[in-house]
Amino acid sequence: MILTLVGGIGLFLLGMSLLTDGLKNLAGDTLRLMLSRFVKGPFTALCSGTFITFLVQSSSATTLATIGFVSAGLITFPQTIGVLLGAKLGTTSTGWIVATLGLRYSISVIALPVIGVGALMKLLSSGKLAHAGLALAGFGLIFMGIDTLQVGMEGLADYIDFTVLSGTQFSGILLLIVTGIVMTVIMQSSSAAVATTLTALFAGAIDLPQAAALVIGQNFGTSVTAIIAIIGASVAAVRTGVIYVVFGLVIAVIAVAVMPVFLWITEYLNIPGNAAQMAIAVAAFHTSFNLIGIVFIMPFRQYFADLVMKWFPEDEHSMTQRLDRSVQHIPSVAIESVNRSLRAMLSGLLDYLSKALGESNLSIDREFLNQAELAKVEISQFLNEIKIGSGQSADYNRYVATLHALDHNVRLMDACRDTQFVKHIKNDPVATQMSVMLQVSFEKTQNWISEKSEEDITEALREVSAKLAELRKKRRVEILEHAALSSGSSIQTLSNLDTIRWLDKLAYHHWRAVYHLMDKGEYEIDPPYPA
């Protein structure tokens, strides 16, 4: 019996994992686009969190994606509150699937063919069809797991006395809640824990009050896994984890408070004794207390957010504060985190270069350059650990573009070490003109990075780069002809040429870095540029 129970839980967990992975890959960039476009107000954030969790059948995936987008700066921390609450609500959908389909009907009869078809789709095809096959196989395994759990649960009550854990006395309720938490932590899935509870209720191993108390603990159990996940994580992850735990605790208290009302309603409707109706009642209770908790929390969301941000301040000067290793297995989110880190790095480099162009005797800031070098190493390592799956063309294109942006940032960083050319700018009118043009273009980019402007500035930067390239070629000829006709110092001539080339280099790599950091969807490896 124990082996059967363990096998049933294992099949359910494997099915959930395959279903989640398949749906995430099938959705592709949907997670990123939905979170970035629709998480504007509290209601849209709540709806987005609920829908995404229902779509991928994993509150963990939604939570990790949210952490990544907070880290990347695409959404603010207060906006995540609605998404996290939505994830709480969305994850209750699994209970409804188990109660209405998995327990009431013998779907295991068709589960095997579904698994077979899904496996063949995964093995014999590629791209989205293969991802759909993986999700289909996972869906079949879930119901195979439920069927196996039912078989194991049938004799459980004969071996284990559950009456010692009363679902009507406060001490018993607390023990059952703790048991539910432990189940979720061990299984690493509240959905699997809830499915196990519903199956035990359906088989008569536990009664309705016990099932209700267990579900309260299992709902809070995801908060405990969040605590484990934020150990050593970024500030954004810690903030999100803390707020998730606080919400879980508030919702658990509300659930315990409304539990007597729920039991009274079920008694009034004569539900106890009918296994199928009891399973549906527990699924409804699971959704209801989360919904009541959401209604209670939403008016105080900003207060919670301000409090957590005060407790956990963010280091705004770090170039790599956007990187969060907990989201590396979600390519679209991980790449966005790198993109925003590179924007922060580019902003620092442009600020450094703007100061250099504005001062004739600027000393090299070695501390800043060391920070930029460390950021380059950390970003490179982070990129190296991102795995792009087959068929994820959008993620692949953005990954390639991000690599190009990193390379151009590194070239600009190298140019920052050559600021000795600045002192020669005032000696050449063309170099002075180029310097002014560069400072204007740097300011445009800084406004874009700080999100003061949303316009596509890449064409304007390309034109500046092309203009500076033309000035460099024309001025090169003039400088060499002047040197040949006069007795001027060849050292001064070379210095002027190097300064012109240095300014041209800044314009070129500045433009290319911004081009590849712009979210264009499709990228040209070598965008148009004059010879």
Side-chain angles (χ1 to χ4, degrees), residues 420-448:
Q420 71 271 14
F421 297 121
V422 171
K423 61 186 177 183
H424 301 293
I425 291 176
K426 64 179 184 297
N427 298 326
D428 190 294
V430 174
T432 302
Q433 180 186 355
M434 294 172 71
S435 175
V436 172
M437 292 172 66
L438 271 174
Q439 290 181 72
V440 172
S441 67
F442 289 171
E443 185 178 356
K444 282 187 177 181
T445 301
Q446 293 282 34
N447 287 334
W448 169 70

Side-chain angles (χ1 to χ4, degrees), residues 207-502:
D207 59 24
L208 187 60
Q210 288 172 327
L214 283 171
V215 167
I216 294 173
Q218 289 153 1
N219 191 75
F220 181 73
T222 55
S223 301
V224 178
T225 57
I227 294 173
I228 298 171
I230 64 176
I231 296 174
S234 66
V235 174
V238 171
R239 285 176 173 178
T240 308
V242 168
I243 206 78
Y244 196 65
V245 171
V246 171
F247 290 162
L249 187 61
V250 171
I251 290 173
V253 171
I254 290 173
V256 172
V258 301
M259 183 176 163
V261 178
F262 162 71
L263 295 176
W264 178 83
I265 292 173
T266 56
E267 285 287 347
Y268 180 78
L269 297 175
N270 293 320
I271 289 176
N274 187 316
Q277 288 184 3
M278 285 194 297
I280 292 175
V282 172
F285 175 60
H286 190 196
T287 301
S288 298
F289 71 69
N290 275 287
L291 197 55
I292 294 170
I294 289 169
V295 172
F296 176 79
I297 291 170
M298 285 298 277
F300 304 101
R301 64 187 183 278
Q302 191 60 50
Y303 171 77
F304 282 124
D306 292 341
L307 196 61
V308 172
M309 286 190 289
K310 183 179 179 180
W311 287 345
F312 302 96
E314 197 169 44
D315 182 8
E316 298 181 355
H317 301 292
S318 173
M319 296 180 189
T320 56
Q321 64 175 331
R322 303 299 184 192
L323 299 182
D324 193 327
R325 298 194 179 279
S326 64
V327 301
Q328 281 184 320
H329 69 287
I330 308 177
S332 61
V333 180
I335 294 169
E336 190 63 44
S337 296
V338 175
N339 183 289
R340 292 303 173 113
S341 296
L342 287 174
R343 292 187 190 192
M345 183 179 179
L346 178 61
S347 178
L349 294 172
L350 295 184
D351 185 58
Y352 182 90
L353 290 168
S354 294
K355 290 178 181 177
L357 294 174
E359 300 180 28
S360 57
N361 294 313
L362 182 73
S363 59
I364 295 178
D365 186 346
R366 299 195 182 280
E367 182 180 352
F368 167 77
L369 294 177
N370 288 337
Q371 290 177 355
E373 182 66 32
L374 291 173
K376 179 197 77 172
V377 173
E378 190 173 346
I379 291 170
S380 299
Q381 291 174 345
F382 190 92
L383 273 170
N384 191 50
E385 294 172 12
I386 298 174
K387 307 301 179 187
I388 307 295
S390 59
Q392 295 175 291
S393 58
D395 289 337
Y396 174 78
N397 288 337
R398 297 188 79 241
Y399 186 85
V400 172
T402 304
L403 287 174
H404 278 275
L406 174 61
D407 177 59
H408 291 294
N409 267 14
V410 172
R411 303 291 185 89
L412 284 173
M413 186 170 65
D414 292 339
C416 287
R417 296 188 177 94
D418 297 328
T419 48
Q420 71 271 14
F421 297 121
V422 171
K423 61 186 177 183
H424 301 293
I425 291 176
K426 64 179 184 297
N427 298 326
D428 190 294
V430 174
T432 302
Q433 180 186 355
M434 294 172 71
S435 175
V436 172
M437 292 172 66
L438 271 174
Q439 290 181 72
V440 172
S441 67
F442 289 171
E443 185 178 356
K444 282 187 177 181
T445 301
Q446 293 282 34
N447 287 334
W448 169 70
I449 292 174
S450 62
E451 298 182 351
K452 293 178 182 177
S453 170
E454 295 182 359
E455 66 172 315
D456 186 344
I457 59 174
T458 54
E459 183 58 29
L461 298 184
R462 188 195 73 83
E463 291 177 1
V464 170
S465 183
K467 178 65 175 176
L468 264 61
E470 291 173 5
L471 288 172
R472 184 253 305 161
K473 286 184 281 188
K474 181 179 178 182
R475 187 56 179 161
R476 177 178 179 275
V477 173
E478 293 175 352
I479 290 174
L480 292 176
E481 288 180 348
H482 178 74
L485 295 173
S486 66
S487 57
S489 169
S490 59
I491 295 177
Q492 182 61 46
T493 299
L494 291 174
S495 296
N496 289 343
L497 286 174
D498 287 340
T499 302
I500 295 292
R501 278 195 294 267
W502 180 70

Side-chain angles (χ1 to χ4, degrees), residues 19-163:
L19 177 66
T20 300
D21 289 345
L23 289 174
K24 278 195 300 184
N25 290 328
L26 190 63
D29 221 24
T30 303
L31 280 175
R32 186 180 70 85
L33 293 175
M34 281 196 67
L35 284 174
S36 60
R37 292 181 182 178
F38 299 115
V39 182
K40 302 299 182 184
F43 181 73
T44 56
L46 178 67
C47 292
S48 297
T50 304
F51 178 74
I52 291 173
T53 304
F54 173 77
L55 180 70
V56 300
Q57 282 296 298
S58 173
S59 59
S60 298
T62 306
T63 304
L64 286 175
T66 305
I67 289 171
F69 272 79
V70 176
S71 299
L74 279 183
I75 59 177
T76 63
F77 175 66
Q79 287 175 320
T80 66
I81 292 176
V83 180
L84 295 177
L85 291 173
K88 279 282 189 187
L89 186 61
T91 197
T92 65
S93 63
T94 307
W96 284 101
I97 294 171
V98 173
T100 57
L101 294 176
L103 298 176
R104 291 170 65 90
Y105 305 102
S106 183
I107 297 182
S108 60
V109 176
I110 62 170
L112 284 174
V114 167
I115 294 170
V117 171
L120 287 174
M121 289 171 62
K122 171 62 179 174
L123 293 172
L124 302 179
S125 60
S126 60
K128 291 191 177 297
L129 196 60
H131 299 318
L134 191 67
L136 192 62
F139 189 72
L141 279 171
I142 286 173
F143 290 100
M144 283 293 295
I146 293 171
D147 191 60
T148 306
L149 273 173
Q150 283 183 272
V151 174
M153 288 291 181
E154 286 175 357
L156 188 63
D158 296 333
Y159 293 93
I160 302 175
D161 183 13
F162 288 99
T163 57

